[in-house]
């Protein structure tokens, strides 16, 4: 749960990490802190105009990654 306002720097960092780890097909920064992202080569590109939208998108991807990750032994 977020207790502070989302920032452009935070959104940039998360999107960069997801891209660098192969969870995004495409992530291009746009004007005024916006991002155009595409999850897979065949998915519809999305433009995220605000850090809150970007962090919602990041959370969606992280949930999906966790659901499909193999269970690690403890």
């Amino acid at each position: 749960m977020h207790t502070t306002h989302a920032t452009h720097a935070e959104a940039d960092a998360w999107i960069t990490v997801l891209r660098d780890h192969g969870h995004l097909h495409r992530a291009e920064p746009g004007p005024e802190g916006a991002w155009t992202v595409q999850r897979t080569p065949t998915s519809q590109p999305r433009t995220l105009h605000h850090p809150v939208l970007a962090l919602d998108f990041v959370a969606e991807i992280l949930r999906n990654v966790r659901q499909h990750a193999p269970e690690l032994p403890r």
Side-chain angles (χ1 to χ4, degrees):
M1 174 189 246
H2 240 275
T3 58
T4 60
H5 295 288
T7 66
H8 288 289
E10 183 179 16
D12 289 349
W14 273 107
I15 290 172
T16 299
V17 167
L18 290 175
R19 182 191 59 211
D20 291 352
H21 285 266
H23 298 294
L24 291 174
H25 170 70
R26 179 177 143 218
E28 296 176 6
E32 299 180 25
W35 279 90
T36 299
V37 294
Q38 192 171 0
R39 182 77 197 266
T40 67
T42 59
S43 64
Q44 183 74 20
R46 293 169 63 175
T47 301
L48 309 171
H49 296 285
H50 193 276
V52 171
L53 296 174
L55 292 182
D56 285 347
F57 179 74
V58 166
E60 178 184 317
I61 290 174
L62 291 176
R63 278 191 300 274
N64 186 270
V65 167
R66 288 179 183 142
Q67 287 175 348
H68 294 96
E71 191 69 31
L72 297 175
R74 294 182 182 221

